[in-house]
């Protein structure tokens, strides 16, 4: 009788230990995924702002001299060749869109909310008070997030 009770107790103890271990591993896995997602989104934000900043610098002269075909070519090339850029818009100070390029993935991402937008004002020189336009970049996030989920 004592042997049977001891076997039951051992089996119960092993079962409880396994269940607790499984729960701890599950919680650790969820925490890791959430943490990695936050880190990845911060990296996407850094990249988005860097691209918006570089594009705003590139856009200064064409906006000043009204050479919009150069900006259109730039936008077309960057959106088509960079798989993670879903959209690029360059807007003049008066609100008129000079360039608006959206990839097919970008259209889907905008509708699905799987894109992050970054804006950067375009200034003619560093100490200028008035901007001459705005650059708006859309970075597709789903391709990045699929790697961790």
């Amino acid at each position: 009788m004592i042997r049977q009770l001891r076997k039951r107790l051992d089996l119960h103890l092993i079962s409880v230990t396994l269940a607790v271990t499984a729960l701890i591993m599950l919680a650790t896995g969820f925490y890791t995924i959430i943490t990695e997602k936050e880190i990845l989104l911060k990296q996407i934000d850094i990249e988005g702002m860097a691209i918006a900043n570089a594009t705003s610098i590139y856009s200064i002269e064409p906006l000043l001299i009204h050479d919009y075909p150069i900006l259109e070519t730039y936008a077309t090339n960057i959106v088509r060749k960079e798989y993670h850029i879903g959209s690029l818009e360059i807007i003049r100070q008066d609100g008129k869109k000079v360039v608006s390029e959206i990839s097919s993935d970008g259209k889907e991402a905008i509708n699905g909310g799987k894109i992050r937008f970054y804006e950067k004002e375009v200034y003619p020189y560093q100490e200028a008070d008035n901007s001459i336009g705005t650059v708006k970049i859309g970075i597709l996030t789903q391709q990045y997030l699929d790697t961790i989920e």
Side-chain angles (χ1 to χ4, degrees):
M1 172 112 173
I2 294 177
R3 279 188 179 175
Q4 274 186 329
L5 187 59
R6 187 172 175 173
K7 274 187 174 180
R8 283 178 151 174
L9 187 59
D10 287 345
L11 186 61
H12 188 66
L13 185 62
I14 290 171
S15 298
V16 169
T17 303
L18 286 174
V20 168
T21 302
L23 286 174
I24 290 172
M25 290 180 71
L26 188 65
T28 303
F30 280 127
Y31 176 76
T32 301
I33 289 173
I34 290 169
T35 304
E36 289 296 317
K37 184 176 180 180
E38 289 174 5
I39 291 169
L40 189 57
L41 290 174
K42 285 179 185 177
Q43 285 299 112
I44 292 170
D45 290 343
I46 290 168
E47 180 183 8
M49 285 307 299
I51 294 170
N53 189 44
T55 302
S56 72
I57 292 169
Y58 179 83
S59 302
I60 293 170
E61 186 176 345
L63 281 173
L64 286 173
I65 62 173
H66 306 286
D67 194 359
Y68 305 132
I70 287 178
L71 294 175
E72 290 171 5
T73 302
Y74 173 78
T76 301
N77 286 336
I78 198 167
V79 170
R80 287 186 185 165
K81 292 181 180 176
E82 298 294 330
Y83 69 93
H84 59 285
I85 297 178
S87 69
L88 190 151
E89 291 181 346
I90 301 173
I91 305 159
R92 287 190 328 203
Q93 179 186 8
D94 62 3
K96 181 182 179 200
K97 283 186 186 178
V98 176
V99 173
S100 182
E101 188 72 32
I102 301 174
S103 70
S104 57
D105 290 341
K107 290 176 187 173
E108 292 177 24
I110 290 170
N111 293 334
K114 297 175 181 174
I115 192 167
R116 291 172 80 99
F117 292 100
Y118 304 91
E119 289 188 24
K120 178 72 175 162
E121 297 290 322
V122 181
Y123 292 97
Y125 54 93
Q126 217 168 17
E127 291 83 25
D129 292 331
N130 296 325
S131 73
I132 57 173
T134 305
V135 169
K136 187 175 181 182
I137 302 279
I139 303 291
L140 302 172
T141 58
Q142 193 60 43
Q143 296 158 331
Y144 292 105
L145 297 176
D146 284 346
T147 61
I148 60 169
E149 291 180 346

